[in-house]
Amino acid sequence: MNQFVYLFVVISNFFLCANAFTNTDSLNIRRTSLLINRERYTTELLMSSDGTLSRKNFFEKTLSLSFFSAAASFEGSSPAHAKSKGEPVTKDSIKAAFQAVRDQLESPDGGVNRLRAMIEKEDFEEIMEFTKYYDLEFRKAKIVKARRLLTSKEVKERGLYLSNSVTFDLIGMNKGARPGQYDIEMVKKYFKELETDVANFLLLEDTIDFSVYDL
């Protein structure tokens, strides 16, 4: 079933992306469709209970999907687009975007520390439920917002890799917490990688070239 869903999404995204390049008036609509399909596929990965999980397999499986979605979302990820949308980009707004990510990692009330408490109690049911939705709440709502403010092409690519790694880490914890698995060592392994990936993402803030935003 997952292979069928993957094939369907890739084919759908191919036609959406091809049309987007030839019809700029509807680019935003098509970009939204691609991003929705990408989130649905992420959910499929989270809900899947078969197969062996590895970072290599994960990125191989999502490579083509990421290519199509990246092509459609390019406009929405550029500094120029951030300014054209009428959203003022200031040093304070950039700092706030990264602080929102930092709070999730470091604050006692942040999601990472809430997850740590679940792991310490070995509450597998809570871990599984939390990680199922935290990708949207944390990565998509906060990390992606901060990532779009990065200015260097190389740093943007690094930011995208780390953002995708966060998804992978949550999937790893989710799998380790499932009934019949209950592998606390696996959960701890991916939790540690989550902390590392988020900490490394935060380091990218210092690379931002404010002159791109005329600051």
Side-chain angles (χ1 to χ4, degrees):
M1 173 61 74
N2 286 336
Q3 290 179 341
F4 174 78
V5 172
Y6 173 66
L7 181 61
F8 173 78
V9 171
V10 170
I11 293 174
S12 298
N13 282 340
F14 173 79
F15 287 108
L16 283 169
C17 188
N19 288 334
F21 280 114
T22 58
N23 188 349
T24 56
D25 291 338
S26 59
L27 179 59
N28 287 335
I29 295 175
R30 299 181 190 282
R31 175 166 54 84
T32 300
S33 297
L34 286 167
L35 294 178
I36 289 173
N37 280 333
R38 183 178 62 185
E39 295 305 327
R40 285 176 178 170
Y41 181 58
T42 298
T43 301
E44 286 293 323
L45 285 173
L46 285 169
M47 296 302 292
S48 173
S49 60
D50 59 341
T52 301
L53 189 68
S54 72
R55 190 174 292 255
K56 179 177 181 292
N57 290 338
F58 174 80
F59 284 112
E60 285 179 349
K61 197 171 186 181
T62 58
L63 178 61
S64 57
L65 182 60
S66 297
F67 171 79
F68 292 117
S69 60
S73 61
F74 174 77
E75 179 193 37
S77 64
S78 66
H81 181 70
K83 290 190 287 186
S84 68
K85 287 178 65 177
E87 300 173 355
V89 177
T90 65
K91 289 184 178 181
D92 286 341
S93 68
I94 293 173
K95 181 179 179 180
F98 279 88
Q99 186 60 47
V101 176
R102 186 172 288 105
D103 287 344
Q104 287 296 308
L105 177 66
E106 300 176 356
S107 171
D109 298 324
V112 175
N113 277 312
R114 288 163 57 195
L115 189 53
R116 178 184 287 106
M118 297 174 198
I119 294 172
E120 289 174 352
K121 293 187 297 183
E122 298 190 14
D123 191 337
F124 292 109
E125 184 176 346
E126 285 296 315
I127 293 169
M128 187 174 67
E129 190 68 14
F130 186 83
T131 53
K132 188 184 298 183
Y133 300 105
Y134 194 47
D135 183 71
L136 295 178
E137 176 187 339
F138 181 29
R139 181 195 62 81
K140 188 171 185 295
K142 295 179 172 61
I143 292 180
V144 170
K145 181 178 180 180
R147 176 170 62 80
R148 288 174 177 165
L149 296 168
L150 298 171
T151 51
S152 161
K153 179 179 182 295
E154 292 76 14
V155 175
K156 283 182 179 182
E157 291 174 353
R158 174 67 174 163
L160 178 60
Y161 171 80
L162 291 169
S163 176
N164 287 340
S165 294
V166 167
T167 297
F168 175 86
D169 300 334
L170 293 170
I171 293 173
M173 284 183 278
N174 184 274
K175 281 183 174 286
R178 289 174 185 172
Q181 188 86 353
Y182 290 162
D183 187 341
I184 194 62
E185 294 306 317
M186 179 179 180
V187 173
K188 288 179 178 179
K189 172 182 180 293
Y190 285 106
F191 177 76
K192 186 65 177 177
E193 291 189 9
L194 173 69
E195 289 184 304
T196 300
D197 289 332
V198 176
N200 285 335
F201 177 83
L202 289 169
L203 295 176
L204 304 182
E205 180 182 6
D206 292 336
T207 70
I208 293 177
D209 180 3
F210 293 111
S211 67
V212 173
Y213 297 105
D214 300 322
L215 300 177

